[in-house]
Amino acid sequence: LFRSNDEYKKFKEKLISKTIKLMPDYDDTISSIINCYEEYAEGYQKFLLQNIETIQGVFRESKTENLRSLKSLLIDFERVYSSWIKTDISQDFLPKVLYMFGAMLFAVKSGNYKEHEKYGDMFVDSELSKKYSKWESVYKLYSLKSWIVTGAWNALDFREEINVKFNIQDMS
């Protein structure tokens, strides 16, 4: 329609006048998505509702503004939740694991999670810890990172990792 960018600018100036950027209320949108979420693992929607501020926070910090990535987070984390609740490990750790999972997932989906040839993911984690205010490496699970990056879910590796990391035995 327009031969050059200058033609478009002239047309826009005369006809359109100004461009308005719509700023959606992502917190309300996230609330709506979670309230309508159809769970497969019993109790998952309740877990999401209890952790809605964590989900909203990691989404805001990601700056992706991509609701498909948010939905991917909710759907993919249901597998994590489902596997976790079948163990005897405290669910108190789950909200922080959810946050870390979201941070890694959003970074991968936006193309900002690439390992360094020589130093692995040390530099990536350093950058993510600057971007995400609640980044805590202790809650970064390599089985989840592997799943996010490669797409290969390994429930056994996941259960072994959370057992080693979070199964606190009563020493009394």
Side-chain angles (χ1 to χ4, degrees), residues 21-124:
K21 181 170 176 150
L22 298 176
M23 298 301 294
D25 185 342
Y26 286 115
D27 286 352
D28 279 351
T29 303
I30 292 168
S31 293
S32 178
I33 290 169
I34 290 173
N35 278 305
C36 296
Y37 189 86
E38 292 186 36
E39 67 183 25
Y40 293 98
E42 187 175 335
Y44 184 61
Q45 184 186 31
K46 181 180 177 184
F47 169 79
L48 293 176
L49 289 168
Q50 290 170 340
N51 293 285
I52 200 162
E53 290 178 7
T54 298
I55 296 164
Q56 291 167 334
V58 73
F59 182 78
R60 270 193 305 275
E61 290 176 335
S62 75
K63 297 184 177 17
T64 64
E65 298 182 351
N66 187 327
L67 294 174
R68 285 186 310 271
S69 293
L70 170 78
K71 287 180 179 181
S72 176
L73 165 65
L74 301 178
I75 292 166
D76 290 351
F77 198 77
E78 188 167 10
R79 181 177 283 182
V80 175
Y81 174 86
S82 177
S83 290
W84 193 297
I85 63 172
K86 293 174 185 169
T87 71
D88 62 348
I89 298 166
S90 172
Q91 293 180 25
D92 292 345
F93 302 108
L94 262 174
K96 291 187 178 190
V97 172
L98 168 64
Y99 180 87
M100 296 298 287
F101 184 83
M104 290 186 294
L105 183 126
F106 290 136
V108 166
K109 291 200 175 280
S110 64
N112 296 323
Y113 203 100
K114 296 192 175 35
E115 290 189 0
H116 189 272
E117 287 178 19
K118 187 174 180 183
Y119 301 108
D121 58 6
M122 181 174 63
F123 291 122
V124 176

